[in-house]
Amino acid sequence: MKAVISLSNRLMQRYLPDPYLFVIILTLAVFILGLIFTPSTPLQMVEFWGGGFWGLLSFAMQMVLVLVTGHVLASSPLFKKGLSAMASAAKTPGQAIVYVTAVSMIASFINWGFGLVIGALFAKELAKKVTNVDYRLLIASAYSGFVIWHGGISGSVPLTIATEGHFAQDLIGLIPTSETIFAPFNLIIVAVLFITLPLVNRMMMPGKEETISIDPALLNETGVEAASLEFASHTPAEKAENSKIISMVIGIMGLIYLISYFMKNGFLLNLDVVNFMFLFLGILFHGTPRNFLNAVAEAIKGTSGIIFQFPFYAGIMGMMVTSGLAAVISEGFVSISNQQTFPVLAFWSAGLVNIFVPSGGGQWAVQAPVMIEAAKALDVSMPKTAMAVAWGDAWTNMIQPFWALPALAIAGLKAKDIMGYCVFVLLISGVIISLGFFFL
C-alpha cells in the first residue's frame, strides 16, 4: 500500500495543476462536453457561461460567512488553548494522524467551515508537538474529515430543504432535519466513516525515508490576539475597541435571540442560523471588538481563492444547467436506476457533477428537478434522495481542490501536496457511502 501511496503522491506532484488552472480546465471541458452532448452552439455555450457567471453571489456570500465565522471561532483563545492541550495527548506520528482525523470529522459534522479551519489548526499544533510526523499526511488527514460535512448539521442541502421558501418547496414541501441529517441511515453512514477513516489515514503513513516533516519553529505565530497590543488604549475610540463589555453585551443579545429561536422552532437549523450562532460565539470568545476584528481580518485571507474562483464555477454551472448538460448526466444515471439502486446512482451522479459544480446548494439547484421527478416515479424516499445528492457533493471534494484552499492556506501547502492521499480517502469513503445508500 505504501508503494501505491508513494506513486499517487508523485503523480499528483507532477500533474495536478493549481486550483485556478483546474477551474479553467473544467470550464473548457464543460464547454466541449456541452457541444458534444447538447444541441448548443459555441456562441450559446459562451453566452450560458457569461450569463451564469454572477448567478451565485448571494449563496457565495453565505458560504464565505460560514468559512469566516468558523475560522473566527476556531481561532479564539478558548479554542486555541483547547487545541494545544489536546495536541499534547498525541505521542507518536500514528496517534497524531488518527487524532487529527477524528477531530476534523467531529468539527466538520458541526460546521463545514469550522471543520476545515479547526482541522488545519489542530494539525499545525500536532506538528509542533509530535516529531517525525509527515506534514503532508497530517494536513490531508485534517482535510479528509471534510468528507462528512454534508451529512452534518451545516449541510446546505438538508438545511435548504428545511428552510421556508426554498425553490423546490412546491414539489417536496419542507423536509425537517430529523428526516435527513438525523435520520438513522445518515447517522449510520457517518458512524462507519468515523471508525474507518482514521484507520485508513493511519495506514497511509509513509516510511521514515519518505516522511516529510516540518520544523516546529516555522509554525509559531503571534496570533490575532497579540495584534491588539499594538493599540494603546488612550483615546475613547481605542478604549471602546478594547472593551470586553461591548463584546459581552452584543454577544449576549445574540445568544438570547438564538435561545428564543430554538424555543420557538426546535432544533431547526439553516445556513443563516448556523452563521448567526458561530458569529456571536466568536464575538464572545474573542473578548474585545479589536480581537474579534483581528480574527476576522485573518479569516478573510483564506477566502480569497474562494471569492475569486466561485464566479468561474457559477459560469460552469450556467453552461451545465442552461445547455442541459447537467440534466443529461443526471438522466443518464436515472435511466439505469430502479428503486433499490436509485439512491446509490444519485450519489454517484452527484459526485460527478460536483467536480464541475462544487457547491452544495448550487448543485442541488442543478440536480433537484431531475432527481425529484425520478424519485417520485420510482417511489424513492425524498429525504434519502436529497441526502444522496448531498453526500455526492461532499464525496468528490476529496479530489476537487476548491474547498481545500482555506486549509492549504493555513498549512502553507499546495493542493498537489495532499491530493495523493485524498484519492484513497475518496475510494474508501465512496465504497462505504454507496453501501449505506444501497442497504439502509
Side-chain angles (χ1 to χ4, degrees):
M1 182 174 181
K2 289 183 178 179
V4 176
I5 296 293
S6 179
L7 175 62
S8 177
N9 282 328
R10 289 197 300 271
L11 290 174
M12 289 296 171
Q13 286 285 344
R14 188 173 180 85
Y15 295 110
L16 184 67
D18 180 86
Y20 170 66
L21 294 179
F22 189 81
V23 72
I24 299 302
I25 292 170
L26 288 181
T27 299
L28 298 176
V30 171
F31 178 85
I32 293 170
L33 291 172
L35 296 178
I36 295 172
F37 293 104
T38 74
S40 305
T41 66
L43 177 59
Q44 286 177 322
M45 290 298 293
V46 171
E47 290 175 342
F48 299 155
W49 175 68
F53 209 76
W54 307 112
L56 291 176
L57 289 182
S58 176
F59 181 71
M61 186 61 181
Q62 284 183 308
M63 294 295 101
V64 168
L65 283 174
V66 168
L67 178 59
V68 170
T69 57
H71 189 293
V72 167
L73 184 58
S75 65
S76 65
L78 177 64
F79 273 87
K80 291 180 76 173
K81 289 178 182 178
L83 289 177
S84 180
M86 289 168 58
S88 299
K91 306 301 181 184
T92 67
Q95 290 177 356
I97 296 301
V98 170
Y99 208 4
V100 75
T101 307
V103 168
S104 175
M105 294 181 79
I106 293 169
S108 294
F109 185 84
I110 295 172
N111 176 270
W112 70 265
F114 187 54
L116 279 179
V117 172
I118 206 165
L121 291 175
F122 187 47
K124 290 181 70 173
E125 289 297 323
L126 286 165
K128 295 176 186 178
K129 297 180 181 296
V130 180
T131 58
N132 299 320
V133 62
D134 190 280
Y135 190 55
R136 303 164 304 166
L137 178 57
L138 198 61
I139 299 302
S141 299
Y143 183 58
S144 71
F146 188 55
V147 76
I148 73 164
W149 82 271
H150 227 144
I153 61 177
S154 69
S156 58
V157 171
L159 294 184
T160 295
I161 61 178
T163 302
E164 182 73 34
H166 70 87
F167 72 90
Q169 185 171 343
D170 291 343
L171 298 174
I172 62 175
L174 291 176
I175 299 178
T177 54
S178 60
E179 296 180 21
T180 53
I181 297 170
F182 300 107
F185 74 87
N186 187 64
L187 294 178
I188 290 173
I189 292 173
V190 169
V192 174
L193 288 171
F194 259 101
I195 295 169
T196 306
L197 286 190
L199 300 178
V200 170
N201 289 336
R202 171 65 178 81
M203 292 173 63
M204 288 194 293
M205 284 180 56
K208 289 185 178 180
E209 67 282 357
E210 293 189 3
T211 296
I212 298 179
S213 56
I214 189 169
D215 183 354
L218 299 176
L219 300 176
N220 289 328
E221 300 171 350
T222 57
V224 294
E225 308 304 327
S228 66
L229 298 177
E230 300 175 3
F231 294 84
S233 301
H234 296 311
T235 69
E238 290 165 348
K239 289 179 180 180
E241 289 176 355
N242 290 280
S243 170
K244 293 184 178 180
I245 295 176
I246 292 177
S247 289
M248 185 175 297
V249 169
I250 193 67
I252 290 175
M253 284 180 61
L255 292 184
I256 290 173
Y257 169 78
L258 286 171
I259 292 171
S260 173
Y261 172 85
F262 288 128
M263 288 179 65
K264 292 179 180 178
N265 301 283
F267 196 62
L268 181 62
L269 294 171
N270 56 45
L271 289 175
D272 293 335
V273 172
V274 169
N275 279 333
F276 193 94
M277 183 189 309
F278 278 77
L279 172 62
F280 284 92
L281 286 176
I283 289 173
L284 281 173
F285 289 170
H286 278 281
T288 69
R290 173 48 54 193
N291 288 340
F292 172 74
L293 291 174
N294 290 337
V296 171
E298 186 68 23
I300 288 175
K301 293 178 182 177
T303 68
S304 59
I306 295 174
I307 293 171
F308 182 68
Q309 293 180 38
F310 213 98
F312 284 93
Y313 282 103
I316 291 173
M317 192 175 81
M319 285 193 289
M320 292 196 69
V321 174
T322 313
S323 71
L325 182 59
V328 169
I329 294 173
S330 300
E331 288 168 357
F333 281 91
V334 167
S335 66
I336 57 174
S337 301
N338 56 40
Q339 189 178 51
Q340 181 72 26
T341 62
F342 177 75
V344 177
L345 292 173
F347 163 65
W348 291 351
S349 71
L352 179 59
V353 172
N354 176 67
I355 294 175
F356 303 100
V357 189
S359 160
Q363 182 167 342
W364 177 242
V366 170
Q367 292 195 271
V370 175
M371 293 301 171
I372 288 173
E373 291 304 318
K376 288 181 177 179
L378 295 171
D379 194 25
V380 176
S381 163
M382 200 61 67
K384 184 175 287 188
T385 298
M387 289 308 293
V389 174
W391 274 103
D393 165 76
W395 174 46
T396 49
N397 283 336
M398 290 298 99
I399 57 169
Q400 222 297 358
F402 183 69
W403 293 116
L405 292 174
L408 293 170
I410 292 170
L413 294 178
K414 298 180 179 179
K416 59 187 177 183
D417 294 325
I418 69 170
M419 285 298 161
Y421 297 110
C422 292
V423 168
F424 286 86
V425 175
L426 175 89
L427 296 175
I428 299 299
S429 61
V431 171
I432 292 170
I433 299 167
S434 296
L435 291 174
F437 278 110
F438 187 80
F439 290 108
L440 298 177

